[in-house]
Amino acid sequence: MSARLLWVDDEIDLLKAHCIFLEKRGYEVTTTSNGRDAIDLCKEGDYDLVLLDENMPGLSGLETLSQIKAVCPTLPVVMVTKNEAEDLMDQAIGAQIADYLLKPVNPMQILLTLKKNIHQREIVQEQTQTGYRQDFAQISLQMDDARDTEAWKDLYRRLVAWELQLEENADPAMGEMLRLQKEEANAAFAKFVKKHYESWLTSSADRPTLSPDVMRHAVFPRLAEGRRVVFLVLDNFRYDQWRMLAAELADEFDLDEDLYYSILPTSTQYARNAIFSGLMPLQIKEKHPELWVEEDEDEGKNLNEEALIAHQMERLHRKESFSYHKLNDSAAVDHLLAGFNTLKQHSLNVLVINFIDILSHARTESRMVRELASNEAAYRSITLSWFRHTGMRELFRRLSALDADIVLTTDHGSIRVDSPTKVIGDRNVNTNLRYKLGRNLNYPAKEVFEIKEPKRFFLPTPNLSTAYIFALGSRFFAYPNNYNYYVQYYRNTFQHGGISMEEMIIPLITLRPKAR
C-alpha cells in the first residue's frame, strides 16, 4: 500500500521518526510547519490525505482546514490535536474531517487512520472476496442440507447478505460466482417447492406462514393486545430491497425481521387477494364469487381488497375499525400525509403501495428505465432513491411518531429472467411470463411445475380441463410465434408469478417506533 501524504505541524521536526516509519511502509510524506504553506501545497500537489495539527501559530488548524476544503473538497483531512474540548471536536467534524487523533500519537495509530481513510475500499474488497470464497463451500453444504422452510429462509438471507456486500466490494468474476451459486440454489429450491407445496396447503404440520396467514399471524394478535396497527403492503417488494431500506429506518424504529412464503402464482391477483381475504384463491371464488375476477376478464384484479379485508375481519369476529388506502403515485402519498391524523381514528390502517411493481413493469416497457435499472444493484438503488426522495420518507417519519405497530410486508417478489421456455397454447391463455393457465398447453415438463388438478392446490379453474404451469428459477415463457423478438424483448426483465426464492421468500417486518 502506498499514498502521498501531507503532514502539517508547527513541531514537524519532532515527528521525523513517524515520517520515517511511514516512508518505510511505502508512503510518500511531504511536511510543512504552517497553514499557509499547506494550502499552497494542496493547490500545487495531488495528495491522498492531510494530517493537520489543530494548534499552530498564524492560521489555526480549523482555519487551514476550511481553506484546504475550498481548494480540494474531497481530500480527506485528519485533525491532530492536544485539545480534547468537545466543542472543538464538533467544529472539526462539522467541517467534514475524516478522523480526529489526540496527541501524542503513535505510529500505529497513524497507520490505522491511513488504512481506514485511504485504503478502506481495497481492504474491504479483499476481505469480502476472501470471506465469500471461504463461505462458498459452506453455502453449498447448507443448500444440500436444506430440508425445511426455515432452512431455506436462512440460506436465502445468507445469499442476499453476500450479494449486498459483493456488489460494492468485488470484481465482476466474484459477482458471477455468486450469481451461479444463486442459480444453483434456485434450482434446488424449485425441487423443494415442487415436492412440498401441496402438503403446505393441506397439512398444518409443515406449513410455513403463507399469504392467507399473514394478517392472522402478524396483524390480528397485535389488535387483540389493544395496539393500533398500520399494515403496509409494498407490492412486488423483495428481501434485498428491504435490506436497503432497513438501514434507513433503524434510527427511528426497532425492527423485528421475518420472512414468509408467497402462494402460487406469485402475482397480485392471487397472492395479495389471499393476504387480504385470509383465503386461498379457490376459496375466495367459492365464498365471495362477486369479488373474484377471472384471468380473462377485463376488470382490474385487485379492486376488491377493501371488501376482502372486511370479510376476513367479520369471519374472524374482529370488531376493530379499519381504513384502506391505495397509494399508486406521489400525489396519493401527499394526499394521505395531508390527512394523516385520520389514521388515529382507526385501530387498523391498511396502506397498499404500488411503486415497485410499477417500476418493474416500466423497466420492461421503457428503454430509458431499463438503462437506469440495468442490473440488480441498480434496481435496488432506484428503490432506495424512491424511498429517500418522495413522500414515502416523510410517511415513515410520521409513522415513527405514531403510537402504533407498523407491519410491513409484500405480496410477492420478482426475479430477473434470462432463459426462455417455449409454450404453446390457445388464444385464451393468460399473458403472464412466469405462469400460464389454460387448456391444451404444450410445454417441456422438466422445465416447469405443472398442476393438472388445480382444485387440489386451491386454485380456480375457469374450465374443467384447465391446467397451471409455473416457470422455475430465472426462466420465462415464450411463444414460438415471433420467438426471437419476444425473447430479446423480455430477457433480463424483472418478472413474477413463478417459483424462485426472490418471488416466494419475502419480507414480513414489524417496526416499533423508538419515540414510543
Side-chain angles (χ1 to χ4, degrees):
M1 293 181 180
S2 63
R4 296 192 66 207
L5 310 178
L6 174 61
W7 199 328
V8 188
D9 196 302
D10 63 325
E11 298 177 328
I12 196 66
D13 291 340
L14 302 178
L15 299 170
K16 187 174 182 180
H18 291 56
C19 295
I20 293 172
F21 171 84
L22 293 174
E23 287 169 348
K24 286 182 177 180
R25 280 160 177 76
Y27 293 96
E28 181 184 333
V29 184
T30 301
T31 62
T32 185
S33 60
N34 64 83
R36 293 287 181 195
D37 288 347
I39 295 163
D40 291 339
L41 286 166
C42 286
K43 290 177 181 178
E44 298 167 2
D46 185 14
Y47 297 99
D48 296 295
L49 183 138
V50 177
L51 292 160
L52 178 63
D53 184 23
E54 179 270 325
N55 186 20
M56 296 184 297
L59 283 181
S60 70
L62 285 174
E63 291 170 329
T64 304
L65 171 64
S66 65
Q67 294 195 42
I68 288 175
K69 283 294 183 180
V71 175
C72 307
T74 61
L75 178 62
V77 178
V78 175
M79 185 72 75
V80 186
T81 180
K82 294 178 181 178
N83 194 336
E84 297 184 49
E86 186 176 351
D87 63 331
L88 177 65
M89 294 182 187
D90 290 344
Q91 289 180 59
I93 292 169
Q96 298 179 331
I97 61 166
D99 210 343
Y100 194 99
L101 297 178
L102 290 173
K103 290 184 176 182
V105 293
N106 65 60
M108 293 310 296
Q109 277 181 292
I110 298 169
L111 190 60
L112 178 61
T113 200
L114 296 182
K115 286 180 179 288
K116 184 169 66 174
N117 292 290
I118 302 176
H119 310 295
Q120 183 178 30
R121 184 177 180 84
E122 57 191 282
I123 293 171
V124 170
Q125 178 174 334
E126 181 180 339
Q127 293 299 316
T128 300
Q129 293 182 34
T130 300
Y132 177 60
R133 286 192 194 98
Q134 293 172 345
D135 208 25
F136 181 89
Q138 292 298 318
I139 292 173
S140 296
L141 288 174
Q142 186 178 354
M143 199 186 306
D144 293 338
D145 293 339
R147 299 285 186 267
D148 57 37
T149 56
E150 288 300 316
W152 276 105
K153 285 160 62 173
D154 290 342
L155 177 62
Y156 183 45
R157 286 189 184 99
R158 195 170 181 177
L159 288 167
V160 167
W162 278 118
E163 187 173 24
L164 296 179
Q165 290 183 61
L166 288 171
E167 77 178 21
E168 295 293 337
N169 302 298
D171 59 31
M174 193 63 61
E176 178 65 10
M177 184 175 169
L178 176 62
R179 188 192 69 79
L180 292 173
Q181 189 165 51
K182 279 187 70 179
E183 191 174 287
E184 182 184 357
N186 262 325
F189 178 71
K191 292 179 181 178
F192 174 75
V193 172
K194 290 168 72 173
K195 182 178 180 180
H196 296 284
Y197 186 68
E198 184 176 4
S199 69
W200 296 350
L201 304 179
T202 57
S203 169
S204 59
D206 63 345
R207 177 187 178 106
T209 299
L210 296 172
S211 307
D213 309 321
V214 168
M215 293 190 73
R216 192 165 62 252
H217 289 180
V219 174
F220 295 148
R222 291 176 170 83
L223 292 176
E225 294 171 359
R227 300 291 309 145
R228 177 182 289 112
V229 177
V230 177
F231 186 40
L232 274 163
V233 180
L234 274 65
D235 190 6
N236 200 6
F237 184 53
R238 304 192 318 193
Y239 175 63
D240 59 331
Q241 293 170 314
W242 156 247
R243 291 307 316 156
M244 301 289 285
L245 264 59
E248 296 289 308
L249 297 170
D251 289 341
E252 296 164 310
F253 297 92
D254 292 318
L255 310 175
D256 183 6
E257 178 184 292
D258 198 2
L259 297 167
Y260 84 98
Y261 283 73
S262 171
I263 62 165
L264 298 173
T266 47
S267 68
T268 299
Q269 177 182 1
Y270 296 87
R272 200 158 86 201
N273 284 335
I275 291 172
F276 290 139
S277 66
L279 301 169
M280 289 294 290
L282 179 59
Q283 295 171 319
I284 300 173
K285 182 178 178 179
E286 291 176 343
K287 291 179 180 291
H288 309 292
E290 74 284 2
L291 301 180
W292 181 257
V293 181
E294 298 290 359
E295 289 270 3
D296 59 356
E297 295 182 46
D298 293 333
E299 183 183 346
K301 306 299 190 289
N302 57 354
L303 300 180
N304 300 316
E305 293 170 350
E306 186 171 8
L308 290 172
I309 296 168
H311 281 298
Q312 179 175 190
M313 295 186 71
E314 181 181 1
R315 189 175 68 254
L316 298 178
H317 309 293
R318 304 239 51 101
K319 305 297 184 182
E320 296 89 355
S321 65
F322 78 92
S323 70
Y324 169 85
H325 309 267
K326 184 172 289 187
L327 310 177
N328 290 328
D329 52 33
S330 296
V333 176
D334 293 342
H335 180 74
L336 177 70
L337 290 171
F340 187 81
N341 285 335
T342 61
L343 301 186
K344 298 176 182 178
Q345 300 172 11
H346 303 281
S347 300
L348 171 63
N349 296 280
V350 180
L351 312 181
V352 177
I353 301 164
N354 283 335
F355 170 82
I356 299 170
D357 191 58
I358 293 170
L359 170 63
S360 177
H361 291 294
R363 187 187 179 280
T364 300
E365 297 160 7
S366 167
R367 182 176 178 179
M368 180 180 294
V369 178
R370 190 177 295 201
E371 289 290 327
L372 290 172
S374 58
N375 54 36
E376 302 275 1
Y379 190 49
R380 286 189 288 269
S381 179
I382 287 181
T383 303
L384 182 59
S385 180
W386 158 75
F387 179 79
R388 286 175 170 171
H389 303 297
T390 66
M392 286 302 300
R393 193 67 193 86
E394 178 60 24
L395 174 60
F396 275 87
R397 287 193 186 96
R398 300 274 191 95
L399 290 174
S400 70
L402 187 67
D403 186 18
D405 290 347
I406 295 91
V407 177
L408 186 153
T409 192
T410 185
D411 45 3
H412 56 77
S414 64
I415 186 169
R416 191 180 183 194
V417 297
D418 58 20
S419 303
T421 291
K422 284 187 179 180
V423 173
I424 299 173
D426 61 32
R427 67 179 63 185
N428 295 319
V429 173
N430 65 310
T431 59
N432 189 284
L433 273 68
R434 294 279 293 164
Y435 77 94
K436 298 291 183 186
L437 70 153
R439 297 175 295 177
N440 304 317
L441 293 173
N442 193 311
Y443 48 85
K446 291 184 179 180
E447 296 181 9
V448 306
F449 176 34
E450 54 187 356
I451 293 179
K452 294 184 176 180
E453 299 179 63
K455 287 189 177 182
R456 286 172 47 191
F457 295 81
F458 298 94
L459 290 171
T461 51
N463 299 286
L464 290 176
S465 57
T466 294
Y468 286 73
I469 58 171
F470 301 92
L472 310 179
S474 59
R475 292 191 169 275
F476 65 100
F477 294 132
Y479 296 109
N481 296 340
N482 210 6
Y483 179 80
N484 291 331
Y485 170 80
Y486 192 87
V487 168
Q488 184 179 7
Y489 185 79
Y490 286 108
R491 178 174 275 141
N492 293 325
T493 61
F494 289 91
Q495 303 293 334
H496 57 83
I499 298 175
S500 68
M501 295 180 295
E502 291 91 331
E503 291 164 288
M504 291 190 72
I505 306 178
I506 47 181
L508 180 56
I509 316 298
T510 302
L511 302 91
R512 296 179 179 86
K514 289 184 176 180
R516 197 166 78 197

